[in-house]
Amino acid sequence: MEPLFTPEQLADIHAYHQPYYIRAAVEPLVRLALSALLLAVLVRPVYRGAGAAAAALERRFGGALRTAPVSRAFFSAMDRLWGEPGWGTAIFFALFIDLATQLLYAPANVYFFYVLEHRHGLSNDTPATFAWTWFKGSLVGAIALTALVVGLYGLARRVRRWWLVLGVPVALLMLVASALDPYRARLYFDQTPLREGPLRSRITALMRKADIPFSDVVVEKTSVSSKRIQAYFAGQGPTRTIVLNDVILRELAEDEILAAVAHEAGHVNEARWPGRIASSLAVLALLFLIDQALRLSARRGWWGVQRAGDIRTLPLVSLGVFLLITLAAPVSGALSREREREADRYGLNLTGDPGAFRRMLVKAARVNKMDPEPPRWVVLKGMSHPPIGERLAALDAP
């Protein structure tokens, strides 16, 4: 059987992945060091700077904004939610902390997501498109962070069981949020319907065989920034969409694309509700733990905090969330890898074409530069997919 990679390809893959493995080992320590710096040194001066910035903007624009028809309603709602002056300071504090973190990580992010990707032929980004994508991601993150500050800390200041008031609707929203996936993806890449023809007809027939309804098959134009192969299902029920990127259409034959779609169809047939319910309950538990951390900070008077809901506890909350995610990653990764194995088995049974399935995996591994045998600690740390070598070996298992 033809080897998965030539020696030259394998050397290139190892050179590509080695920096990522080093980062995976070092990054938790960097995050802990950054959190220690924030909590021990920077909370008070950053909070003073946020207060000064909010006061300056209030003096410069507050009169006009508080009287204009649209902004007046916003300011009035914020004042009522917060219960007293200070919400501007809270938002600036959170944004300043986020900006400082992004600036600290900027050199590493440019190296990993631009320099390294170009060096190994995986990116089509220009400096301008890379900067634009980064800006959009940062803007979306800033909006989400502002909503977190307003929702979580605003409620924590006014409602004793805020974690329940906030957690229940958030948990319910999580149960249906995946229906919005097809629309979120369009923030970053253009999508067009797959043209009528043999491939679309074969995908439709395959989904009819699998008894999976869907609304459309679309082509996502990711080649503007990436050379990787990608296929996935987005949305649920009436919004379910089969997404193929333009790279997969160029690199794979029709039967190989069908194998990729069949694998993704395996995820549609997973028992999703237990996981979603567990995730929703986990969010409630997380918010309760955050509430306890806020109250402990107020009792101890850390960083000058005198009441629950003080924004100065945000770095502590961020540290706690990071530790919980890090500790849960091995378990969630193991569950994810098992789901991927099941999806492989499902897709193989659906197509009945092991040759096409193998060719699909081999081509995807070559184009996406997958390490066939990553270090075991990397896998156990939380890899979402089994190593490609293991997936190919499973095809030959009796």
Side-chain angles (χ1 to χ4, degrees), residues 276-294:
R276 291 178 183 170
I277 292 171
S279 297
S280 299
L281 294 176
V283 167
L284 276 174
L286 176 61
L287 291 175
F288 174 75
L289 292 176
I290 291 174
D291 176 65
Q292 298 305 300
L294 298 184

Side-chain angles (χ1 to χ4, degrees), residues 76-108:
S76 177
M78 288 297 298
D79 290 339
R80 285 198 300 270
L81 175 62
W82 209 255
E84 60 186 19
W87 56 267
T89 299
I91 291 174
F92 273 114
F93 178 83
L95 293 178
F96 286 170
I97 292 292
D98 181 60
L99 178 61
T101 303
Q102 290 206 40
L103 290 176
L104 178 68
Y105 274 89

Side-chain angles (χ1 to χ4, degrees), residues 118-166:
H118 274 272
R119 181 179 298 166
H120 294 276
L122 287 170
S123 176
N124 288 323
D125 260 331
T126 65
T129 58
F130 178 77
W132 175 239
T133 301
W134 195 350
F135 172 77
K136 284 191 292 186
S138 298
L139 181 61
V140 170
I143 293 171
L145 182 59
T146 301
L148 170 70
V149 170
V150 172
L152 192 156
Y153 282 91
L155 282 174
R157 297 168 68 85
R158 303 296 302 276
V159 181
R160 179 167 180 79
R161 297 188 183 275
W162 65 269
W163 58 274
L164 198 58
V165 174
L166 179 63

Side-chain angles (χ1 to χ4, degrees), residues 202-339:
R202 294 180 71 182
I203 290 174
T204 301
L206 188 70
M207 293 301 97
R208 189 179 299 118
K209 179 181 177 182
D211 194 25
I212 297 176
F214 64 97
S215 63
D216 202 358
V217 185
V218 300
V219 179
E220 192 169 69
K221 299 178 181 178
T222 64
S223 62
V224 295
S225 64
S226 174
K227 298 181 181 180
R228 285 182 172 84
I229 287 172
Q230 189 176 32
Y232 62 95
F233 280 54
Q236 293 292 320
T239 69
R240 182 179 292 124
T241 305
I242 301 171
V243 183
L244 307 173
N245 75 342
D246 51 350
V247 182
I248 198 173
L249 297 179
R250 184 173 66 243
E251 297 288 344
L252 269 59
E254 281 191 6
D255 57 347
E256 296 158 2
I257 294 173
L258 287 178
V261 172
H263 167 88
E264 297 302 324
H267 293 304
V268 175
N269 285 285
E270 292 171 356
R272 292 177 176 268
W273 285 107
R276 291 178 183 170
I277 292 171
S279 297
S280 299
L281 294 176
V283 167
L284 276 174
L286 176 61
L287 291 175
F288 174 75
L289 292 176
I290 291 174
D291 176 65
Q292 298 305 300
L294 298 184
R295 296 186 183 282
L296 177 62
S297 300
R299 288 196 301 270
R300 298 292 178 86
W302 293 335
W303 313 291
V305 171
Q306 296 180 345
R307 59 179 297 178
D310 193 301
I311 193 62
R312 284 171 284 189
T313 60
L314 180 61
L316 178 64
V317 170
S318 299
L319 174 61
V321 172
F322 166 72
L323 291 175
L324 289 174
I325 291 175
T326 301
L327 292 173
V331 175
S332 62
L335 294 174
S336 177
R337 291 192 297 276
E338 184 56 36
R339 288 195 297 269

